[in-house]
Amino acid sequence: MSTTETREVLLARYGELWLKGKNRGNFERRLARNVRRALKTVAPGCTVEREHGMLVVRPAQRAREATQRLQEVFGLSSISPARKTMREFEAIAETSLEAMRAALARYPDDAPIPFRVETRRSDKRFHLTSVQLDRQIGECVMAEFGPRLSVNLSKPELVLGINVRAEQVYVFAERIPGAGGLPVGSVGRVVSLFSGGIDSPVASWMAMKRGLEVIFSSFHSYPYVGASFLRKAEKLVRRLTRFQNSALFCATPLTRIQEAIRDGAPKGYRTVLYRRAMQRIATRIAEDEGAGGLVTGECVGQVASQTLENMRCIQDVSDLPVLRPLVAFDKSETIALAKKIGTFELSIEPEPDCCTVFQPQHPILRARIDLCDEVESRLSMEELLAEAYERTERIPIAGLG
Ligand code: ATP
Ligand code: MG
């Protein structure tokens, strides 16, 4: 009988261990559910179970694609394709050699690779201590692959991990970084004011990273700026569902509000008044969807209109917290992140945003709240807002699975 009954699994680890009590249970359940959803298409039929502070996905079908998919799940700190084996020294040794053979195939065959074994025992009844197992398995590995490796305990490049559990042992030679952050949905929901530009997709992604489920709210000015703007925004939402698996996309016509502002407000106030209208409608959507905050792609001083005074004036219409994850980013930092998460190419497709409709040459830099309030009451803004809100289209976007 072979002692090397091995099975491929994926070990998915999570960080943020400071989470305690009720939060921790919520966090772990959410994470397991998000992992299951993310793997629905790439590894159908796999199970995801919690084991000693990590998630174990089995069997690891299409391990490479599944691992890549898991790199898009917030809350995971690292992922390892691993082999499961029995709690016997012979089995562990043989499995270690297999794992090392596969790992070494990925390295060039020139200088020896700094290497070590790292054992963790969550079951201390195993007859060898961690240090003994490190040493004995290390000897087996060196006997087999000696010239290609050099033992280096302090700065290894290749680490053979061995996790000894009550029922089985996992062996792995790769630790692929996860996306970090918190599981989407574990912290709450927010409505993102989503323009289809470069910034708001990155801001939405950052909110997701901190455990917030994002609902997308876009405003268009059909027929001035309409169908193609929405197609672009929807494509971006679809791209972002890689990170949260499904999303609600809300599209609201701002046209009549913009026309009223064009006809009845001081020119320089147009953009600020548009944005106040957007925040009001987004706040109503947030109430409907149980969201506790708003997210925008605003940044301080990036464009002339993004002054503290204007931000104050815009946020004054909502009592929800307004999160601005990009507030201290340089544009180049936002662009680098947009490229990394795959939104940049979609964002730069030339498509005007509704803020540009009737845009004045010199927008106001220090808008005054009392003046905004006064203009809005003159324009019967409440009715216009109610109408735009009623005409909001709500489009559910399915994730990749
Ligand atoms: P972005 O790159 O996200 O378009 P921006 O640098 O163009 O941002 P602004 O035009 O001042 O900056 O917009 C600031 C923020 O206002 C956007 O990041 C977004 O959150 C919100 N916003 C602007 N236009 C719209 C829109 N048409 N629909 C929804 N939100 C919008
Ligand atoms: Mg924009």
Side-chain angles (χ1 to χ4, degrees), residues 63-113:
R64 200 139 296 273
E65 288 113 302
T67 303
Q68 272 170 10
R69 189 74 188 91
L70 290 184
Q71 285 186 286
E72 296 169 330
V73 177
F74 289 122
L76 294 179
S77 54
S78 69
I79 305 128
S80 290
R83 292 154 207 259
K84 185 186 107 171
T85 190
M86 290 182 291
R87 286 166 44 98
E88 286 166 19
F89 182 81
E90 295 303 318
I92 299 170
E94 212 165 313
T95 308
S96 297
L97 297 183
E98 282 169 28
M100 287 299 294
R101 194 166 292 120
L104 284 168
R106 289 189 295 272
Y107 284 86
D109 186 8
D110 40 27
I113 306 150

Side-chain angles (χ1 to χ4, degrees), residues 184-343:
V184 171
S186 66
V187 173
R189 284 183 166 181
V190 284
V191 172
S192 172
L193 287 117
F194 197 70
S195 67
I198 294 171
D199 301 340
S200 40
V202 176
S204 307
W205 180 88
M206 288 173 84
M208 289 175 183
K209 181 170 185 214
R210 290 312 298 165
L212 295 164
E213 181 185 340
V214 173
I215 292 153
F216 296 86
S217 163
S218 287
F219 295 85
H220 62 90
S221 326
Y222 185 78
Y224 304 103
V225 172
S228 56
F229 165 77
L230 285 179
R231 265 199 303 278
K232 177 185 174 187
E234 193 179 319
K235 261 197 263 175
L236 276 158
V237 173
R238 253 177 230 292
R239 180 68 187 94
L240 288 167
T241 58
R242 297 186 79 91
F243 304 96
Q244 85 167 22
N245 235 272
S246 65
L248 183 63
F249 175 50
C250 303
T252 306
L254 205 67
T255 323
R256 293 204 47 200
I257 292 174
Q258 291 185 283
E259 286 168 344
I261 291 169
R262 174 196 62 192
D263 298 339
K267 250 191 187 165
Y269 270 71
R270 283 179 188 169
T271 310
V272 168
L273 291 169
Y274 297 168
R275 302 282 331 282
R276 275 166 64 102
M278 290 182 193
Q279 297 247 340
R280 283 199 168 100
I281 294 169
T283 301
R284 291 194 195 168
I285 294 172
E287 279 163 15
D288 296 342
E289 302 298 330
L294 303 178
V295 174
T296 79
E298 288 166 309
C299 176
V300 171
Q302 185 184 91
V303 290
S305 61
Q306 290 176 358
T307 59
L308 292 176
E309 289 85 350
N310 287 0
M311 281 185 190
R312 174 165 179 227
C313 205
I314 293 165
Q315 80 175 33
D316 186 60
V317 298
S318 172
D319 52 16
L320 293 178
V322 180
L323 308 182
R324 301 178 181 90
L326 307 183
V327 77
F329 268 26
D330 291 347
K331 193 73 183 185
S332 59
E333 292 171 293
T334 304
I335 289 175
L337 195 45
K339 286 183 176 164
K340 193 180 126 199
I341 66 177
T343 55

